[in-house]
mmCIF file of all heavy atoms in Angstrom:
data_model
loop_
_atom_site.group_PDB
_atom_site.id
_atom_site.type_symbol
_atom_site.label_atom_id
_atom_site.label_comp_id
_atom_site.label_asym_id
_atom_site.label_seq_id
_atom_site.Cartn_x
_atom_site.Cartn_y
_atom_site.Cartn_z
ATOM 1 N N ALA A 973 -10.940 12.173 10.998
ATOM 2 C CA ALA A 973 -10.463 11.388 12.146
ATOM 3 C C ALA A 973 -11.541 11.157 13.205
ATOM 4 O O ALA A 973 -11.648 10.043 13.744
ATOM 5 C CB ALA A 973 -9.238 12.064 12.769
ATOM 6 N N PRO A 974 -12.378 12.144 13.540
ATOM 7 C CA PRO A 974 -13.408 11.898 14.568
ATOM 8 C C PRO A 974 -14.444 10.848 14.185
ATOM 9 O O PRO A 974 -15.233 10.425 15.031
ATOM 10 C CB PRO A 974 -14.063 13.280 14.731
ATOM 11 C CG PRO A 974 -13.022 14.251 14.297
ATOM 12 C CD PRO A 974 -12.324 13.566 13.167
ATOM 13 N N PHE A 975 -14.444 10.427 12.937
ATOM 14 C CA PHE A 975 -15.369 9.378 12.502
ATOM 15 C C PHE A 975 -14.661 8.021 12.354
ATOM 16 O O PHE A 975 -15.296 7.045 11.962
ATOM 17 C CB PHE A 975 -16.018 9.765 11.178
ATOM 18 C CG PHE A 975 -16.813 11.040 11.244
ATOM 19 C CD1 PHE A 975 -16.264 12.237 10.803
ATOM 20 C CD2 PHE A 975 -18.094 11.054 11.779
ATOM 21 C CE1 PHE A 975 -16.980 13.422 10.878
ATOM 22 C CE2 PHE A 975 -18.821 12.237 11.856
ATOM 23 C CZ PHE A 975 -18.262 13.424 11.412
ATOM 24 N N GLY A 976 -13.350 7.990 12.651
ATOM 25 C CA GLY A 976 -12.611 6.735 12.596
ATOM 26 C C GLY A 976 -11.567 6.652 11.508
ATOM 27 O O GLY A 976 -11.005 5.583 11.280
ATOM 28 N N CYS A 977 -11.279 7.757 10.844
ATOM 29 C CA CYS A 977 -10.279 7.743 9.771
ATOM 30 C C CYS A 977 -8.886 7.847 10.393
ATOM 31 O O CYS A 977 -8.423 8.938 10.715
ATOM 32 C CB CYS A 977 -10.526 8.896 8.801
ATOM 33 S SG CYS A 977 -9.411 8.909 7.389
ATOM 34 N N TYR A 978 -8.242 6.710 10.556
ATOM 35 C CA TYR A 978 -6.935 6.693 11.214
ATOM 36 C C TYR A 978 -5.799 7.012 10.245
ATOM 37 O O TYR A 978 -4.682 7.330 10.662
ATOM 38 C CB TYR A 978 -6.688 5.318 11.848
ATOM 39 C CG TYR A 978 -6.226 4.271 10.868
ATOM 40 C CD1 TYR A 978 -4.880 4.003 10.691
ATOM 41 C CD2 TYR A 978 -7.146 3.576 10.081
ATOM 42 C CE1 TYR A 978 -4.448 3.063 9.773
ATOM 43 C CE2 TYR A 978 -6.729 2.638 9.168
ATOM 44 C CZ TYR A 978 -5.383 2.383 9.013
ATOM 45 O OH TYR A 978 -4.958 1.461 8.089
ATOM 46 N N SER A 979 -6.070 6.928 8.929
ATOM 47 C CA SER A 979 -4.976 7.053 7.963
ATOM 48 C C SER A 979 -5.511 7.337 6.570
ATOM 49 O O SER A 979 -6.440 6.674 6.109
ATOM 50 C CB SER A 979 -4.162 5.747 7.952
ATOM 51 O OG SER A 979 -3.328 5.659 6.832
ATOM 52 N N VAL A 980 -4.932 8.331 5.907
ATOM 53 C CA VAL A 980 -5.124 8.554 4.468
ATOM 54 C C VAL A 980 -3.737 8.794 3.898
ATOM 55 O O VAL A 980 -3.114 9.816 4.179
ATOM 56 C CB VAL A 980 -6.040 9.761 4.168
ATOM 57 C CG1 VAL A 980 -6.157 9.958 2.657
ATOM 58 C CG2 VAL A 980 -7.420 9.570 4.775
ATOM 59 N N ASN A 981 -3.241 7.837 3.129
ATOM 60 C CA ASN A 981 -1.865 7.891 2.627
ATOM 61 C C ASN A 981 -1.820 7.741 1.111
ATOM 62 O O ASN A 981 -2.798 7.324 0.487
ATOM 63 C CB ASN A 981 -1.021 6.764 3.233
ATOM 64 C CG ASN A 981 -0.968 6.796 4.750
ATOM 65 O OD1 ASN A 981 -0.883 5.761 5.382
ATOM 66 N ND2 ASN A 981 -1.029 7.975 5.340
ATOM 67 N N ILE A 982 -0.667 8.048 0.551
ATOM 68 C CA ILE A 982 -0.398 7.691 -0.835
ATOM 69 C C ILE A 982 -0.143 6.187 -0.891
ATOM 70 O O ILE A 982 0.619 5.652 -0.085
ATOM 71 C CB ILE A 982 0.833 8.452 -1.379
ATOM 72 C CG1 ILE A 982 0.619 9.963 -1.285
ATOM 73 C CG2 ILE A 982 1.123 8.042 -2.821
ATOM 74 C CD1 ILE A 982 -0.541 10.479 -2.099
ATOM 75 N N ALA A 983 -0.796 5.494 -1.810
ATOM 76 C CA ALA A 983 -0.604 4.048 -1.934
ATOM 77 C C ALA A 983 0.801 3.751 -2.431
ATOM 78 O O ALA A 983 1.387 4.537 -3.182
ATOM 79 C CB ALA A 983 -1.638 3.457 -2.881
ATOM 80 N N ALA A 984 1.325 2.615 -2.013
ATOM 81 C CA ALA A 984 2.680 2.232 -2.403
ATOM 82 C C ALA A 984 2.645 1.150 -3.484
ATOM 83 O O ALA A 984 2.631 1.448 -4.672
ATOM 84 C CB ALA A 984 3.457 1.761 -1.176
ATOM 85 N N ILE A 985 2.576 -0.109 -3.085
ATOM 86 C CA ILE A 985 2.662 -1.215 -4.044
ATOM 87 C C ILE A 985 1.470 -1.236 -4.995
ATOM 88 O O ILE A 985 1.625 -1.373 -6.208
ATOM 89 C CB ILE A 985 2.773 -2.553 -3.290
ATOM 90 C CG1 ILE A 985 4.057 -2.572 -2.451
ATOM 91 C CG2 ILE A 985 2.757 -3.722 -4.259
ATOM 92 C CD1 ILE A 985 4.179 -3.780 -1.553
ATOM 93 N N SER A 986 0.267 -1.099 -4.459
ATOM 94 C CA SER A 986 -0.925 -1.193 -5.304
ATOM 95 C C SER A 986 -0.986 -0.079 -6.340
ATOM 96 O O SER A 986 -1.640 -0.217 -7.376
ATOM 97 C CB SER A 986 -2.190 -1.166 -4.441
ATOM 98 O OG SER A 986 -2.286 0.048 -3.712
ATOM 99 N N ALA A 987 -0.283 1.026 -6.082
ATOM 100 C CA ALA A 987 -0.317 2.158 -7.007
ATOM 101 C C ALA A 987 0.245 1.804 -8.377
ATOM 102 O O ALA A 987 -0.125 2.412 -9.388
ATOM 103 C CB ALA A 987 0.460 3.334 -6.419
ATOM 104 N N ALA A 988 1.138 0.821 -8.424
ATOM 105 C CA ALA A 988 1.769 0.448 -9.694
ATOM 106 C C ALA A 988 0.747 -0.008 -10.728
ATOM 107 O O ALA A 988 0.948 0.173 -11.931
ATOM 108 C CB ALA A 988 2.801 -0.651 -9.458
ATOM 109 N N VAL A 989 -0.359 -0.587 -10.271
ATOM 110 C CA VAL A 989 -1.384 -1.068 -11.198
ATOM 111 C C VAL A 989 -1.981 0.087 -11.990
ATOM 112 O O VAL A 989 -2.250 -0.034 -13.188
ATOM 113 C CB VAL A 989 -2.495 -1.820 -10.433
ATOM 114 C CG1 VAL A 989 -3.576 -2.303 -11.392
ATOM 115 C CG2 VAL A 989 -1.912 -2.983 -9.651
ATOM 116 N N SER A 990 -2.177 1.215 -11.340
ATOM 117 C CA SER A 990 -2.764 2.378 -12.006
ATOM 118 C C SER A 990 -1.751 3.181 -12.804
ATOM 119 O O SER A 990 -2.131 4.027 -13.615
ATOM 120 C CB SER A 990 -3.421 3.301 -10.967
ATOM 121 O OG SER A 990 -4.536 2.682 -10.374
ATOM 122 N N LEU A 991 -0.470 2.943 -12.570
ATOM 123 C CA LEU A 991 0.573 3.714 -13.241
ATOM 124 C C LEU A 991 1.146 3.006 -14.465
ATOM 125 O O LEU A 991 1.779 3.639 -15.310
ATOM 126 C CB LEU A 991 1.714 4.007 -12.257
ATOM 127 C CG LEU A 991 1.394 4.976 -11.114
ATOM 128 C CD1 LEU A 991 2.412 4.823 -9.990
ATOM 129 C CD2 LEU A 991 1.377 6.409 -11.615
ATOM 130 N N ASP A 992 0.914 1.719 -14.570
ATOM 131 C CA ASP A 992 1.541 0.907 -15.605
ATOM 132 C C ASP A 992 1.065 1.301 -17.003
ATOM 133 O O ASP A 992 -0.047 1.812 -17.179
ATOM 134 C CB ASP A 992 1.236 -0.570 -15.349
ATOM 135 C CG ASP A 992 2.125 -1.478 -16.163
ATOM 136 O OD1 ASP A 992 3.307 -1.608 -15.826
ATOM 137 O OD2 ASP A 992 1.623 -2.047 -17.150
ATOM 138 N N ASP A 993 1.903 1.031 -18.002
ATOM 139 C CA ASP A 993 1.545 1.420 -19.367
ATOM 140 C C ASP A 993 0.405 0.589 -19.944
ATOM 141 O O ASP A 993 -0.145 0.924 -20.997
ATOM 142 C CB ASP A 993 2.768 1.348 -20.292
ATOM 143 C CG ASP A 993 3.425 -0.025 -20.306
ATOM 144 O OD1 ASP A 993 2.849 -0.969 -19.727
ATOM 145 O OD2 ASP A 993 4.511 -0.149 -20.898
ATOM 146 N N GLN A 994 0.027 -0.497 -19.267
ATOM 147 C CA GLN A 994 -1.136 -1.262 -19.714
ATOM 148 C C GLN A 994 -2.444 -0.508 -19.471
ATOM 149 O O GLN A 994 -3.469 -0.836 -20.068
ATOM 150 C CB GLN A 994 -1.186 -2.613 -18.996
ATOM 151 C CG GLN A 994 -0.016 -3.527 -19.339
ATOM 152 C CD GLN A 994 -0.110 -4.872 -18.654
ATOM 153 O OE1 GLN A 994 -1.179 -5.292 -18.232
ATOM 154 N NE2 GLN A 994 1.015 -5.564 -18.544
ATOM 155 N N VAL A 995 -2.400 0.480 -18.590
ATOM 156 C CA VAL A 995 -3.592 1.295 -18.336
ATOM 157 C C VAL A 995 -3.957 2.079 -19.588
ATOM 158 O O VAL A 995 -5.113 2.102 -20.018
ATOM 159 C CB VAL A 995 -3.339 2.263 -17.160
ATOM 160 C CG1 VAL A 995 -4.528 3.206 -16.978
ATOM 161 C CG2 VAL A 995 -3.074 1.487 -15.887
ATOM 162 N N HIS A 996 -2.959 2.728 -20.171
ATOM 163 C CA HIS A 996 -3.145 3.495 -21.408
ATOM 164 C C HIS A 996 -1.768 3.798 -21.975
ATOM 165 O O HIS A 996 -0.851 4.143 -21.223
ATOM 166 C CB HIS A 996 -3.906 4.797 -21.133
ATOM 167 C CG HIS A 996 -4.531 5.390 -22.353
ATOM 168 N ND1 HIS A 996 -3.800 6.022 -23.341
ATOM 169 C CD2 HIS A 996 -5.828 5.443 -22.768
ATOM 170 C CE1 HIS A 996 -4.611 6.440 -24.298
ATOM 171 N NE2 HIS A 996 -5.846 6.099 -23.971
ATOM 172 N N PRO A 997 -1.586 3.680 -23.279
ATOM 173 C CA PRO A 997 -0.268 3.981 -23.854
ATOM 174 C C PRO A 997 0.138 5.441 -23.687
ATOM 175 O O PRO A 997 1.331 5.759 -23.711
ATOM 176 C CB PRO A 997 -0.435 3.620 -25.338
ATOM 177 C CG PRO A 997 -1.917 3.601 -25.573
ATOM 178 C CD PRO A 997 -2.529 3.181 -24.288
ATOM 179 N N ASP A 998 -0.831 6.318 -23.506
ATOM 180 C CA ASP A 998 -0.557 7.739 -23.304
ATOM 181 C C ASP A 998 -0.536 8.033 -21.803
ATOM 182 O O ASP A 998 -1.573 7.966 -21.138
ATOM 183 C CB ASP A 998 -1.628 8.584 -23.984
ATOM 184 C CG ASP A 998 -1.342 10.077 -23.901
ATOM 185 O OD1 ASP A 998 -0.397 10.463 -23.182
ATOM 186 O OD2 ASP A 998 -2.071 10.854 -24.540
ATOM 187 N N PRO A 999 0.627 8.362 -21.231
ATOM 188 C CA PRO A 999 0.712 8.606 -19.787
ATOM 189 C C PRO A 999 -0.218 9.713 -19.298
ATOM 190 O O PRO A 999 -0.646 9.691 -18.144
ATOM 191 C CB PRO A 999 2.185 9.000 -19.583
ATOM 192 C CG PRO A 999 2.910 8.401 -20.740
ATOM 193 C CD PRO A 999 1.951 8.469 -21.883
ATOM 194 N N SER A 1000 -0.547 10.658 -20.160
ATOM 195 C CA SER A 1000 -1.395 11.778 -19.743
ATOM 196 C C SER A 1000 -2.854 11.371 -19.552
ATOM 197 O O SER A 1000 -3.656 12.165 -19.052
ATOM 198 C CB SER A 1000 -1.313 12.909 -20.770
ATOM 199 O OG SER A 1000 -1.892 12.513 -22.010
#
Side-chain angles (χ1 to χ4, degrees):
F975 300 99
C977 184
Y978 80 95
S979 165
V980 178
N981 302 148
I982 301 298
I985 298 173
S986 61
V989 179
S990 293
L991 291 161
D992 194 74
D993 56 8
Q994 295 182 21
V995 175
H996 200 287
D998 184 352
S1000 67

